[in-house]
């Protein structure tokens, strides 16, 4: 593809990066479309270099997130499609960015449950039951697999066009010594008071 005709960044020569889906302290997530099959879309998670260079635990947390997602298979958990440390982005200007750490994830079209709640407001008892039954189903599955998410919040739940949801962002998740967890993880505004108080 010639630079003059290239309108979007190209990832690994396989995907066209269309738009930003969101960003956090550890990564940026983009909507990308396959160059071979334009109907195939993915969520491309690119890890921030400053996060990866912070300390050795940062890289371990990414490796653990990949390991956990690779071991989970549930209709209410976002699927991991691929990963690597050899990501390569070619921008329309011709500038290239190499050696990116990335995850290729299932794209969920409806966006964040947080945004849906902001737009719709209260959903009533039927809506609450519909969403709660999905949450109980996925939490039961994760517990059976010995996985703790540690950052469940509206911003980490994606919804499709039918309001079925998928839990995403397993960056703080763990499966190690889950009965004795004491480390401080998650988002302050969603934490139970006893966690904030160190009890």
């Amino acid at each position: 593809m010639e630079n003059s005709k290239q309108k979007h960044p190209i990832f690994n020569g396989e995907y066209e990066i269309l738009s930003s889906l969101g960003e956090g302290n550890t990564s940026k997530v983009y909507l990308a479309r396959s160059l071979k099959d334009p109907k195939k879309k993915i969520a491309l998670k690119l890890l921030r270099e400053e996060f990866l260079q912070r300390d050795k635990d940062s890289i371990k947390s990414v490796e653990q997130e990949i390991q956990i997602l690779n071991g989970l298979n549930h209709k209410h958990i976002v699927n991991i499609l691929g990963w690597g440390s050899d990501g390569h982005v070619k921008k329309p200007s011709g500038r290239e960015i190499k050696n990116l750490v990335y995850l290729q994830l299932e794209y969920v079209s409806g966006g964040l449950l947080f945004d849906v709640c902001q737009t719709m407001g209260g959903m009533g008892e039927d809506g609450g039951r519909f969403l709660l039954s999905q949450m109980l189903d996925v939490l039961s599955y994760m517990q059976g697999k010995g996985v703790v998410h540690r950052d469940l919040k509206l911003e980490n739940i994606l919804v499709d066009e039918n309001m079925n949801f998928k839990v995403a962002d397993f960056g703080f998740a763990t499966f190690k010594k889950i009965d004795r967890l004491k480390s401080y993880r998650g988002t302050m505004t969603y934490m139970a008071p006893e966690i904030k108080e160190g009890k």
Side-chain angles (χ1 to χ4, degrees), residues 135-179:
M135 182 58 75
L136 293 173
D137 183 33
V138 72
L139 287 176
S140 176
Y141 170 79
M142 286 168 57
Q143 184 174 7
K145 290 284 191 176
V147 172
V148 180
H149 189 281
R150 298 201 290 184
D151 197 22
L152 274 176
K153 56 184 179 180
L154 296 174
E155 294 94 323
N156 285 341
I157 298 172
L158 304 168
V159 293
D160 67 15
E161 60 278 357
N162 298 313
M163 286 296 292
N164 293 305
F165 75 62
K166 299 246 182 193
V167 176
D169 198 347
F170 281 72
F172 287 138
T174 189
F175 58 92
K176 298 174 181 177
K177 302 177 184 175
I178 62 172
D179 295 327

Short mmCIF file of all heavy atoms in Angstrom, two decimals, residues 135-179:
data_model
loop_
_atom_site.label_atom_id
_atom_site.label_comp_id
_atom_site.label_asym_id
_atom_site.label_seq_id
_atom_site.Cartn_x
_atom_site.Cartn_y
_atom_site.Cartn_z
N MET A 135 -23.82 -11.59 35.24
CA MET A 135 -22.69 -11.40 36.15
C MET A 135 -22.49 -12.61 37.05
O MET A 135 -21.36 -13.08 37.24
CB MET A 135 -22.90 -10.13 36.99
CG MET A 135 -21.75 -9.84 37.94
SD MET A 135 -20.16 -9.62 37.13
CE MET A 135 -20.35 -8.00 36.42
N LEU A 136 -23.59 -13.14 37.60
CA LEU A 136 -23.48 -14.32 38.46
C LEU A 136 -22.95 -15.52 37.68
O LEU A 136 -22.13 -16.30 38.19
CB LEU A 136 -24.84 -14.64 39.08
CG LEU A 136 -25.36 -13.62 40.10
CD1 LEU A 136 -26.78 -13.96 40.53
CD2 LEU A 136 -24.43 -13.53 41.30
N ASP A 137 -23.39 -15.66 36.44
CA ASP A 137 -22.94 -16.76 35.58
C ASP A 137 -21.43 -16.69 35.36
O ASP A 137 -20.70 -17.67 35.54
CB ASP A 137 -23.71 -16.70 34.25
CG ASP A 137 -23.36 -17.86 33.32
OD1 ASP A 137 -23.09 -18.97 33.82
OD2 ASP A 137 -23.38 -17.65 32.09
N VAL A 138 -20.93 -15.51 34.98
CA VAL A 138 -19.50 -15.39 34.66
C VAL A 138 -18.65 -15.46 35.93
O VAL A 138 -17.56 -16.05 35.93
CB VAL A 138 -19.21 -14.12 33.84
CG1 VAL A 138 -19.33 -12.85 34.67
CG2 VAL A 138 -17.84 -14.20 33.19
N LEU A 139 -19.13 -14.90 37.05
CA LEU A 139 -18.36 -14.97 38.30
C LEU A 139 -18.27 -16.40 38.81
O LEU A 139 -17.23 -16.82 39.32
CB LEU A 139 -18.97 -14.06 39.36
CG LEU A 139 -18.75 -12.56 39.15
CD1 LEU A 139 -19.48 -11.75 40.21
CD2 LEU A 139 -17.27 -12.21 39.12
N SER A 140 -19.35 -17.15 38.67
CA SER A 140 -19.34 -18.56 39.06
C SER A 140 -18.33 -19.35 38.22
O SER A 140 -17.57 -20.17 38.74
CB SER A 140 -20.75 -19.15 38.89
OG SER A 140 -20.74 -20.52 39.16
N TYR A 141 -18.31 -19.07 36.93
CA TYR A 141 -17.36 -19.74 36.03
C TYR A 141 -15.92 -19.40 36.43
O TYR A 141 -15.07 -20.28 36.54
CB TYR A 141 -17.62 -19.31 34.59
CG TYR A 141 -16.55 -19.75 33.61
CD1 TYR A 141 -16.51 -21.06 33.14
CD2 TYR A 141 -15.58 -18.85 33.18
CE1 TYR A 141 -15.53 -21.46 32.25
CE2 TYR A 141 -14.59 -19.25 32.30
CZ TYR A 141 -14.57 -20.56 31.83
OH TYR A 141 -13.59 -20.95 30.96
N MET A 142 -15.65 -18.10 36.66
CA MET A 142 -14.29 -17.68 37.02
C MET A 142 -13.86 -18.29 38.35
O MET A 142 -12.72 -18.71 38.51
CB MET A 142 -14.21 -16.16 37.07
CG MET A 142 -14.22 -15.52 35.68
SD MET A 142 -14.48 -13.73 35.69
CE MET A 142 -13.16 -13.16 36.73
N GLN A 143 -14.79 -18.34 39.31
CA GLN A 143 -14.47 -18.94 40.60
C GLN A 143 -14.12 -20.42 40.43
O GLN A 143 -13.18 -20.92 41.04
CB GLN A 143 -15.63 -18.79 41.58
CG GLN A 143 -15.29 -19.30 42.97
CD GLN A 143 -16.40 -19.02 43.97
OE1 GLN A 143 -17.47 -18.57 43.61
NE2 GLN A 143 -16.13 -19.29 45.22
N GLY A 144 -14.87 -21.09 39.57
CA GLY A 144 -14.59 -22.50 39.29
C GLY A 144 -13.23 -22.71 38.66
O GLY A 144 -12.61 -23.76 38.81
N LYS A 145 -12.75 -21.71 37.94
CA LYS A 145 -11.44 -21.77 37.30
C LYS A 145 -10.33 -21.22 38.22
O LYS A 145 -9.16 -21.22 37.86
CB LYS A 145 -11.43 -20.94 36.00
CG LYS A 145 -12.25 -21.56 34.88
CD LYS A 145 -11.51 -22.72 34.26
CE LYS A 145 -12.16 -23.18 32.98
NZ LYS A 145 -11.39 -24.24 32.32
N GLY A 146 -10.72 -20.72 39.39
CA GLY A 146 -9.75 -20.19 40.33
C GLY A 146 -9.16 -18.85 39.91
O GLY A 146 -8.01 -18.54 40.22
N VAL A 147 -9.97 -18.04 39.22
CA VAL A 147 -9.50 -16.74 38.74
C VAL A 147 -10.26 -15.62 39.45
O VAL A 147 -11.47 -15.67 39.60
CB VAL A 147 -9.72 -16.60 37.21
CG1 VAL A 147 -9.43 -15.19 36.73
CG2 VAL A 147 -8.84 -17.60 36.46
N VAL A 148 -9.52 -14.60 39.89
CA VAL A 148 -10.11 -13.42 40.51
C VAL A 148 -9.77 -12.23 39.61
O VAL A 148 -8.60 -12.00 39.29
CB VAL A 148 -9.55 -13.19 41.93
CG1 VAL A 148 -10.17 -11.96 42.56
CG2 VAL A 148 -9.79 -14.40 42.81
N HIS A 149 -10.77 -11.45 39.22
CA HIS A 149 -10.56 -10.32 38.30
C HIS A 149 -9.89 -9.13 38.98
O HIS A 149 -8.98 -8.52 38.46
CB HIS A 149 -11.91 -9.89 37.70
CG HIS A 149 -11.80 -8.88 36.61
ND1 HIS A 149 -11.61 -7.54 36.85
CD2 HIS A 149 -11.87 -9.02 35.26
CE1 HIS A 149 -11.55 -6.89 35.69
NE2 HIS A 149 -11.71 -7.76 34.71
N ARG A 150 -10.36 -8.74 40.14
CA ARG A 150 -9.83 -7.68 41.00
C ARG A 150 -10.02 -6.25 40.47
O ARG A 150 -9.49 -5.31 41.07
CB ARG A 150 -8.34 -7.90 41.33
CG ARG A 150 -8.10 -9.18 42.08
CD ARG A 150 -6.80 -9.17 42.82
NE ARG A 150 -5.66 -9.23 41.94
CZ ARG A 150 -4.41 -9.31 42.38
NH1 ARG A 150 -4.15 -9.36 43.66
NH2 ARG A 150 -3.41 -9.36 41.53
N ASP A 151 -10.76 -6.08 39.39
CA ASP A 151 -11.05 -4.72 38.95
C ASP A 151 -12.38 -4.69 38.17
O ASP A 151 -12.49 -4.04 37.13
CB ASP A 151 -9.92 -4.17 38.08
CG ASP A 151 -9.95 -2.64 37.95
OD1 ASP A 151 -10.57 -1.98 38.81
OD2 ASP A 151 -9.38 -2.12 36.98
N LEU A 152 -13.38 -5.39 38.72
CA LEU A 152 -14.69 -5.41 38.06
C LEU A 152 -15.36 -4.06 38.27
O LEU A 152 -15.50 -3.58 39.38
CB LEU A 152 -15.58 -6.50 38.65
CG LEU A 152 -15.43 -7.89 38.04
CD1 LEU A 152 -16.29 -8.88 38.79
CD2 LEU A 152 -15.75 -7.90 36.56
N LYS A 153 -15.72 -3.43 37.16
CA LYS A 153 -16.40 -2.14 37.20
C LYS A 153 -17.09 -1.94 35.86
O LYS A 153 -16.82 -2.67 34.89
CB LYS A 153 -15.40 -1.01 37.47
CG LYS A 153 -14.25 -0.94 36.47
CD LYS A 153 -13.24 0.14 36.87
CE LYS A 153 -12.08 0.21 35.89
NZ LYS A 153 -11.11 1.25 36.27
N LEU A 154 -17.98 -0.97 35.81
CA LEU A 154 -18.75 -0.73 34.59
C LEU A 154 -17.85 -0.44 33.39
O LEU A 154 -18.18 -0.78 32.26
CB LEU A 154 -19.72 0.44 34.80
CG LEU A 154 -20.81 0.22 35.85
CD1 LEU A 154 -21.60 1.49 36.06
CD2 LEU A 154 -21.71 -0.92 35.46
N GLU A 155 -16.70 0.17 33.64
CA GLU A 155 -15.77 0.51 32.55
C GLU A 155 -15.04 -0.71 32.01
O GLU A 155 -14.40 -0.63 30.97
CB GLU A 155 -14.75 1.55 33.02
CG GLU A 155 -15.35 2.90 33.36
CD GLU A 155 -15.68 3.05 34.84
OE1 GLU A 155 -16.12 2.07 35.48
OE2 GLU A 155 -15.50 4.16 35.37
N ASN A 156 -15.07 -1.83 32.72
CA ASN A 156 -14.41 -3.06 32.26
C ASN A 156 -15.40 -4.12 31.81
O ASN A 156 -15.06 -5.30 31.71
CB ASN A 156 -13.51 -3.62 33.37
CG ASN A 156 -12.24 -2.80 33.52
OD1 ASN A 156 -11.86 -2.07 32.62
ND2 ASN A 156 -11.59 -2.91 34.66
N ILE A 157 -16.63 -3.70 31.54
CA ILE A 157 -17.64 -4.60 31.01
C ILE A 157 -18.13 -4.03 29.68
O ILE A 157 -18.57 -2.88 29.61
CB ILE A 157 -18.82 -4.77 31.99
CG1 ILE A 157 -18.32 -5.40 33.30
CG2 ILE A 157 -19.91 -5.64 31.36
CD1 ILE A 157 -19.36 -5.44 34.40
N LEU A 158 -18.00 -4.82 28.63
CA LEU A 158 -18.43 -4.42 27.30
C LEU A 158 -19.80 -5.04 27.02
O LEU A 158 -20.12 -6.10 27.55
CB LEU A 158 -17.43 -4.91 26.25
CG LEU A 158 -15.99 -4.46 26.45
CD1 LEU A 158 -15.05 -5.24 25.55
CD2 LEU A 158 -15.85 -2.97 26.20
N VAL A 159 -20.59 -4.39 26.18
CA VAL A 159 -21.90 -4.94 25.83
C VAL A 159 -22.04 -5.02 24.31
O VAL A 159 -21.48 -4.20 23.58
CB VAL A 159 -23.08 -4.11 26.41
CG1 VAL A 159 -23.10 -4.21 27.93
CG2 VAL A 159 -23.00 -2.65 25.98
N ASP A 160 -22.80 -6.03 23.85
CA ASP A 160 -23.08 -6.11 22.43
C ASP A 160 -24.41 -5.42 22.12
O ASP A 160 -25.02 -4.80 23.00
CB ASP A 160 -23.06 -7.57 21.94
CG ASP A 160 -24.18 -8.44 22.52
OD1 ASP A 160 -25.17 -7.89 23.07
OD2 ASP A 160 -24.08 -9.67 22.41
N GLU A 161 -24.88 -5.55 20.90
CA GLU A 161 -26.10 -4.85 20.49
C GLU A 161 -27.35 -5.38 21.19
O GLU A 161 -28.40 -4.73 21.19
CB GLU A 161 -26.27 -4.91 18.96
CG GLU A 161 -26.39 -6.30 18.38
CD GLU A 161 -25.04 -7.01 18.19
OE1 GLU A 161 -23.98 -6.40 18.45
OE2 GLU A 161 -25.06 -8.18 17.77
N ASN A 162 -27.27 -6.57 21.83
CA ASN A 162 -28.40 -7.15 22.56
C ASN A 162 -28.27 -7.01 24.07
O ASN A 162 -28.98 -7.66 24.82
CB ASN A 162 -28.57 -8.63 22.18
CG ASN A 162 -28.86 -8.81 20.71
OD1 ASN A 162 -29.72 -8.12 20.16
ND2 ASN A 162 -28.15 -9.72 20.07
N MET A 163 -27.31 -6.19 24.51
CA MET A 163 -27.04 -5.95 25.93
C MET A 163 -26.48 -7.17 26.65
O MET A 163 -26.50 -7.25 27.87
CB MET A 163 -28.28 -5.43 26.67
CG MET A 163 -28.61 -3.99 26.34
SD MET A 163 -27.32 -2.85 26.88
CE MET A 163 -27.47 -2.97 28.65
N ASN A 164 -25.98 -8.14 25.89
CA ASN A 164 -25.22 -9.23 26.50
C ASN A 164 -23.82 -8.69 26.75
O ASN A 164 -23.27 -7.98 25.92
CB ASN A 164 -25.17 -10.44 25.57
CG ASN A 164 -26.53 -11.06 25.38
OD1 ASN A 164 -27.20 -11.42 26.34
ND2 ASN A 164 -26.98 -11.14 24.14
N PHE A 165 -23.26 -9.01 27.91
CA PHE A 165 -21.97 -8.39 28.20
C PHE A 165 -20.80 -9.34 28.21
O PHE A 165 -20.95 -10.56 28.25
CB PHE A 165 -22.03 -7.54 29.48
CG PHE A 165 -22.06 -8.27 30.78
CD1 PHE A 165 -21.02 -9.08 31.18
CD2 PHE A 165 -23.11 -8.09 31.66
CE1 PHE A 165 -21.02 -9.72 32.42
CE2 PHE A 165 -23.13 -8.71 32.90
CZ PHE A 165 -22.08 -9.53 33.27
N LYS A 166 -19.62 -8.73 28.12
CA LYS A 166 -18.36 -9.46 28.17
C LYS A 166 -17.44 -8.74 29.15
O LYS A 166 -17.21 -7.53 29.02
CB LYS A 166 -17.68 -9.47 26.80
CG LYS A 166 -18.49 -10.13 25.71
CD LYS A 166 -17.82 -11.37 25.23
CE LYS A 166 -18.61 -12.01 24.09
NZ LYS A 166 -18.13 -13.35 23.81
N VAL A 167 -16.91 -9.47 30.10
CA VAL A 167 -15.95 -8.90 31.04
C VAL A 167 -14.61 -8.76 30.31
O VAL A 167 -14.18 -9.68 29.60
CB VAL A 167 -15.80 -9.80 32.29
CG1 VAL A 167 -14.72 -9.25 33.22
CG2 VAL A 167 -17.12 -9.91 33.03
N ALA A 168 -13.97 -7.62 30.47
CA ALA A 168 -12.71 -7.33 29.79
C ALA A 168 -11.67 -6.83 30.79
O ALA A 168 -11.95 -6.73 31.98
CB ALA A 168 -12.94 -6.28 28.70
N ASP A 169 -10.49 -6.54 30.30
CA ASP A 169 -9.38 -5.97 31.05
C ASP A 169 -9.01 -6.80 32.28
O ASP A 169 -9.36 -6.48 33.41
CB ASP A 169 -9.66 -4.52 31.45
CG ASP A 169 -8.36 -3.79 31.83
OD1 ASP A 169 -7.33 -4.47 32.01
OD2 ASP A 169 -8.39 -2.56 31.95
N PHE A 170 -8.27 -7.86 32.03
CA PHE A 170 -7.82 -8.76 33.09
C PHE A 170 -6.41 -8.41 33.57
O PHE A 170 -5.68 -9.26 34.04
CB PHE A 170 -7.88 -10.20 32.59
CG PHE A 170 -9.27 -10.79 32.62
CD1 PHE A 170 -10.24 -10.37 31.72
CD2 PHE A 170 -9.62 -11.75 33.56
CE1 PHE A 170 -11.52 -10.90 31.74
CE2 PHE A 170 -10.90 -12.28 33.60
CZ PHE A 170 -11.85 -11.87 32.69
N GLY A 171 -6.04 -7.12 33.45
CA GLY A 171 -4.70 -6.68 33.83
C GLY A 171 -4.37 -6.86 35.30
O GLY A 171 -3.21 -7.03 35.66
N PHE A 172 -5.37 -6.81 36.18
CA PHE A 172 -5.14 -7.02 37.62
C PHE A 172 -5.54 -8.42 38.07
O PHE A 172 -5.43 -8.76 39.25
CB PHE A 172 -5.94 -6.00 38.44
CG PHE A 172 -5.40 -4.60 38.39
CD1 PHE A 172 -6.26 -3.52 38.27
CD2 PHE A 172 -4.05 -4.35 38.46
CE1 PHE A 172 -5.77 -2.22 38.22
CE2 PHE A 172 -3.55 -3.06 38.42
CZ PHE A 172 -4.41 -1.99 38.29
N ALA A 173 -6.02 -9.24 37.15
CA ALA A 173 -6.53 -10.57 37.51
C ALA A 173 -5.39 -11.48 37.98
O ALA A 173 -4.23 -11.29 37.62
CB ALA A 173 -7.24 -11.20 36.32
N THR A 174 -5.76 -12.46 38.78
CA THR A 174 -4.78 -13.44 39.24
C THR A 174 -5.46 -14.78 39.48
O THR A 174 -6.67 -14.86 39.65
CB THR A 174 -4.07 -12.97 40.52
OG1 THR A 174 -2.98 -13.86 40.80
CG2 THR A 174 -5.01 -12.93 41.71
N PHE A 175 -4.64 -15.82 39.48
CA PHE A 175 -5.12 -17.16 39.83
C PHE A 175 -4.20 -17.78 40.88
O PHE A 175 -4.32 -18.93 41.22
CB PHE A 175 -5.16 -18.06 38.58
CG PHE A 175 -3.83 -18.19 37.89
CD1 PHE A 175 -2.96 -19.22 38.21
CD2 PHE A 175 -3.45 -17.28 36.92
CE1 PHE A 175 -1.73 -19.34 37.58
CE2 PHE A 175 -2.22 -17.38 36.29
CZ PHE A 175 -1.36 -18.42 36.62
N LYS A 176 -3.29 -16.97 41.41
CA LYS A 176 -2.30 -17.47 42.36
C LYS A 176 -2.69 -17.12 43.79
O LYS A 176 -2.94 -15.97 44.10
CB LYS A 176 -0.92 -16.87 42.04
CG LYS A 176 -0.42 -17.29 40.66
CD LYS A 176 0.86 -16.57 40.30
CE LYS A 176 1.33 -16.99 38.92
NZ LYS A 176 2.53 -16.26 38.50
N LYS A 177 -2.73 -18.11 44.65
CA LYS A 177 -2.99 -17.92 46.09
C LYS A 177 -4.20 -17.04 46.34
O LYS A 177 -4.16 -16.12 47.15
CB LYS A 177 -1.76 -17.33 46.77
CG LYS A 177 -0.51 -18.17 46.62
CD LYS A 177 0.70 -17.49 47.25
CE LYS A 177 1.96 -18.30 47.01
NZ LYS A 177 3.16 -17.63 47.50
N ILE A 178 -5.29 -17.31 45.64
CA ILE A 178 -6.44 -16.40 45.71
C ILE A 178 -7.13 -16.40 47.07
O ILE A 178 -7.87 -15.48 47.39
CB ILE A 178 -7.48 -16.69 44.59
CG1 ILE A 178 -8.04 -18.09 44.73
CG2 ILE A 178 -6.87 -16.47 43.23
CD1 ILE A 178 -9.20 -18.37 43.78
N ASP A 179 -6.88 -17.41 47.90
CA ASP A 179 -7.47 -17.44 49.24
C ASP A 179 -6.71 -16.56 50.23
O ASP A 179 -7.18 -16.30 51.33
CB ASP A 179 -7.53 -18.88 49.77
CG ASP A 179 -8.47 -19.75 48.95
OD1 ASP A 179 -9.47 -19.21 48.44
OD2 ASP A 179 -8.19 -20.95 48.79
#
